[in-house]
Amino acid sequence: MSDLRRIDETLWEIPADARPDMRVPARVFADAELLAAIEADRSLEQLVNMTTLPGVVDCALAMPDIHQGYGFPVGGVAATEVPDGVVSPGGVGYDINCGVRLLAAPFSADELDGDREALVHEISRAVPAGTGRGGGLTLRGAELDGVLVEGPRALVDAHGIGTEDDLELTESGGRLPGADPSAVSERARQRGADQLGTVGSGNHFVELQEVERIYDDAAAAAYGLRAGQVTVLVHSGSRGLGHQVCTDYVKRLDGVQARYGIELPDRQLACAPQSSPEGRAYLGAMAAAANFAWANRHALAHGVRGAIARVVGPRAAEETRQVYDVAHNVAKLETHGGREVCVHRKGATRAFPAGSGDIPAAHRHVGQAVFIPGSMGTWSYVLAGEPGSLDRSFGTTCHGAGRLLSRTGARKRIEGAELRRQLEARGIVVRSTSNKGLAEEAPFAYKDVERVVDVVERAGLARRVARLRPIGVVKG
Amino acid sequence: MHRWVEHTGELELALEGADEAEVFVAAVAALNELLDGSAEGVPESRALALRSPERATLLADWIGELVFLAETEDFVAERVDMLELGPGELRAVVAGRRGRPRHLVKAVTYHGLEFRAEDGRVRARAVLDV
């Protein structure tokens, strides 16, 4: 976009007068190379569209892993005034509270060695991925309502799944307040009823990793990470339940926004004032779906621990601790710059710095843990939130490497069977229900995660704590 | 007829037909191809009735219904046996089989959603979140 101007070495801005319907500037964290990739699709146009939301404050932001999506681009962040600014389901996305949870095992990759393939295989049996229904916990009626209101707390209390520590080490304790099960449609309940504890398709996965490098000893110690250790990264969300909640409310808000005098450049940005009946209903349903997603990753982690118990032993499973769990598709009420705002993060992660009261006590002296998955063949990173995130990005950093190639583009370049062979030749055990799906997630389909992390570190949003090397992956 | 259009993050579906009904039928073929059901069960059918104020959102609901059937019943539609389009509504019977369809499509978005008559043809576009 010709109106893009450089603010500093990692921040670029499109001024608020670049298009008549903009209410605030649009800003992108990137370096020159990432920016070239960002400009290759419609990401910046979608970023500018975000600035038209009624009640948007300060600026619309894009993280360096931004790519073209729908409504908001993936990697988009916008805050709106409370209570009369809008809330937009398209600013959260269909996979409400898609996120990542990291587990740290008590054994090293060297100690696991001969059992590595067996463990990946056992995880693939324990956590249904990809095709078909079932395999997860089936909850209906009051039991499902309990999860929608309480999140993983309901699984701990009613089913003995997971631990109190797991809840403490989850963003927002695994429970967004204000969840309203009555705002979740029967159709959404049907889609989610037997999907708790399932991974799903697309870019979701469970990855077995080795802590390959520590950058920050104090933060790594606080997170319970050490070099050589085995970790397990779980990436999934609210499954069909969340997808249907978003579907229901995009349609509903699309139908009422004229009543509120709202005109938007993209129907997927459909929105309503938070204080309106429709806005309140969406916020209640979204919170319920977010709680379902935390329960889903909680159940998936339980499945992983079960697999560790069977392959390595019960004690190893008991000693497998949760490092943290973060959301990257959610709207939350937070205080920034002395005022309460509704922060929409779509493909972006909260990254509060040391001292924040909203992060677990054990992490408060080093900052909130953030996990940045790379791709199947590349490193993932553990980061810690930095003060710059509060100053510059509503307490937010990136969420991954960011797609570079379309799925069909990836499939044109490699077949799933060949990719599986290449990954296994590099020592990565692969279990995937679909060769087609595997090819779509080929490492070259993503941006360089190293470069993305470098930008957020130089921008002062988050800092490196550890680097994780993939040694096994279970994909849908 | 249908074709998939390049999109970095999602899947964009372009549909075309001689009339409105053909566009809805083409969507069934596209989803059948995408969900990769390898359906081997006995033939079954489903009766569908949908309402939406405009054709574009009705198409989104139609594709959403096919996704819902695949996700909740493992049912993959293969053809349309009956289709009636009225003002703001649709009634149809789709035939297919149960299989092991991919849970790939999360939803049909309203981003760039189109349904229009043009040069004697009817064309539509929808971006699917995957």
Side-chain angles (χ1 to χ4, degrees):
Chain A
M1 251 180 115
S2 57
D3 294 306
L4 201 62
R5 68 183 186 204
R6 194 166 198 160
I7 302 293
D8 62 31
E9 68 172 319
T10 57
L11 186 62
W12 309 71
E13 182 179 89
I14 300 168
D17 60 1
R19 221 172 69 182
D21 56 350
M22 291 176 73
R23 297 171 189 263
V24 292
R27 292 185 183 143
V28 188
F29 290 97
D31 63 14
E33 188 168 316
L34 286 171
L35 195 67
I38 291 165
E39 289 185 294
D41 63 23
R42 298 175 66 186
S43 305
L44 294 180
E45 178 189 334
Q46 293 181 346
L47 175 65
V48 169
N49 289 346
M50 289 162 55
T51 70
T52 68
L53 291 174
V56 64
V57 300
D58 290 351
C59 61
L61 287 158
M63 297 295 121
D65 51 335
I66 179 181
H67 64 77
Q68 180 184 347
Y70 48 83
F72 278 36
V74 178
V77 182
T80 52
E81 291 170 349
V82 173
D84 294 327
V86 298
V87 62
S88 171
V92 172
Y94 286 92
D95 198 358
I96 295 166
N97 189 6
C98 182
V100 280
R101 174 173 297 217
L102 186 70
L103 306 174
F107 46 83
S108 70
D110 285 346
E111 288 164 341
L112 177 65
D113 196 30
D115 288 330
R116 184 163 53 94
E117 186 158 359
L119 181 55
V120 175
H121 181 68
E122 197 60 32
I123 290 172
S124 75
R125 285 163 47 92
V127 293
T131 311
R133 295 185 303 122
L137 279 168
T138 299
L139 300 180
R140 291 193 166 80
E143 274 195 321
L144 181 55
D145 280 357
V147 167
L148 297 179
V149 173
E150 299 294 337
R153 157 66 63 197
L155 298 185
V156 175
D157 290 349
H159 298 273
I161 292 173
T163 68
E164 292 288 335
D165 282 352
D166 296 342
L167 302 179
E168 164 69 11
L169 293 165
T170 299
E171 181 177 333
S172 299
R175 179 183 183 275
L176 277 190
D180 180 1
S182 72
V184 176
S185 68
E186 183 54 36
R187 196 174 176 84
R189 289 163 178 274
Q190 275 182 267
R191 286 183 73 174
D194 60 357
Q195 292 185 337
L196 211 55
T198 63
V199 178
S201 285
N203 62 358
H204 292 169
F205 60 80
V206 177
E207 186 171 273
L208 198 66
Q209 307 161 322
E210 175 185 17
V211 179
E212 187 259 350
R213 182 174 174 185
I214 300 285
Y215 298 88
D216 181 324
D217 290 333
Y223 298 161
L225 296 172
R226 63 177 193 278
Q229 184 177 22
V230 168
T231 57
V232 185
L233 191 64
V234 175
H235 180 208
S236 190
S238 48
R239 308 286 284 110
L241 185 140
H243 308 162
Q244 190 62 40
V245 164
C246 186
T247 295
D248 293 341
Y249 282 92
V250 167
K251 184 173 184 176
R252 182 170 170 187
L253 271 55
D254 178 72
V256 301
Q257 63 194 28
R259 184 186 307 164
Y260 297 107
I262 297 171
E263 287 183 32
L264 298 164
D266 180 348
R267 286 182 84 169
Q268 188 62 31
L269 291 173
C271 58
Q274 296 153 47
S275 54
S276 68
E278 298 83 7
R280 287 199 303 273
Y282 171 68
L283 285 167
M286 182 213 63
N291 295 343
F292 184 87
W294 273 310
N296 184 37
R297 291 195 290 278
H298 189 87
L300 286 167
H302 182 69
V304 169
R305 284 179 172 133
I308 290 172
R310 289 187 287 279
V311 174
V312 186
R315 185 167 175 184
E318 277 174 29
E319 293 176 357
T320 295
R321 293 168 310 89
Q322 182 165 315
V323 178
Y324 199 52
D325 179 302
V326 286
H328 53 224
N329 281 0
V330 76
K332 296 176 83 173
L333 299 180
E334 296 174 359
T335 300
H336 292 278
R339 62 181 163 178
E340 190 176 39
V341 290
C342 180
V343 182
H344 297 65
R345 297 188 178 97
K346 183 178 174 191
T349 317
R350 196 190 72 173
F352 285 175
S356 167
D358 291 326
I359 58 181
H363 300 174
R364 205 163 289 156
H365 62 296
V366 294
Q368 182 207 308
V370 174
F371 312 122
I372 309 299
S375 64
M376 280 184 294
T378 59
W379 294 303
S380 295
Y381 280 88
V382 179
L383 310 181
E386 284 278 85
S389 73
L390 291 183
D391 298 336
R392 313 183 77 190
S393 62
F394 299 105
T396 308
T397 190
C398 57
H399 87 307
R403 272 200 94 89
L404 190 60
L405 276 183
S406 69
R407 286 170 166 83
T408 44
R411 282 206 312 271
K412 280 178 190 165
R413 284 182 51 177
I414 198 164
E415 290 190 354
E418 171 58 18
L419 177 61
R420 187 187 299 263
R421 192 193 63 72
Q422 288 181 12
L423 291 170
E424 294 195 338
R426 292 165 55 188
I428 302 170
V429 179
V430 179
R431 290 289 180 276
S432 174
T433 56
S434 162
N435 271 343
K436 192 172 169 184
L438 194 67
E440 290 170 358
E441 296 299 312
F444 54 72
Y446 285 83
K447 295 173 191 168
D448 178 2
V449 68
E450 181 79 28
R451 187 174 284 276
V452 170
V453 167
D454 179 65
V455 168
V456 298
E457 189 164 59
R458 284 194 288 139
L461 310 183
R463 69 184 188 281
R464 287 177 175 89
V465 173
R467 189 165 72 185
L468 313 173
R469 181 177 72 87
I471 57 176
V473 65
V474 175
K475 276 203 59 61
Chain B
M1 58 181 278
H2 72 271
R3 68 188 170 88
W4 300 102
V5 181
E6 286 293 300
H7 186 291
T8 313
E10 314 301 343
L11 285 175
E12 187 170 334
L13 175 60
L15 301 163
E16 185 178 335
D19 55 28
E20 291 183 340
E22 279 195 9
V23 169
F24 282 81
V25 171
V28 172
L31 266 287
N32 183 270
E33 173 187 291
L34 181 66
L35 298 178
D36 196 19
S38 304
E40 293 172 347
V42 294
E44 296 179 21
S45 63
R46 298 288 185 277
L48 308 177
L50 303 170
R51 299 178 69 86
S52 206
E54 54 185 282
R55 283 290 184 259
T57 51
L58 190 62
L59 176 67
D61 287 353
W62 171 249
I63 300 171
E65 192 68 28
L66 300 174
V67 170
F68 180 78
L69 290 172
E71 189 168 309
T72 59
E73 300 182 25
D74 292 337
F75 176 82
V76 183
E78 294 170 337
R79 66 174 194 275
V80 180
D81 280 352
M82 186 277 282
L83 177 66
E84 290 178 1
L85 282 166
E89 65 178 4
L90 166 163
R91 291 193 321 116
V93 174
V94 292
R97 298 168 196 266
R98 288 183 190 246
R100 299 274 295 164
R102 297 170 77 192
H103 285 194
L104 180 64
V105 181
K106 296 172 185 167
V108 186
T109 80
Y110 278 21
H111 174 67
L113 185 64
E114 287 181 1
F115 197 104
R116 65 182 192 282
E118 187 178 74
D119 304 328
R121 305 282 291 172
V122 179
R123 296 184 174 88
R125 273 181 186 254
V127 174
L128 313 184
D129 183 2
V130 294

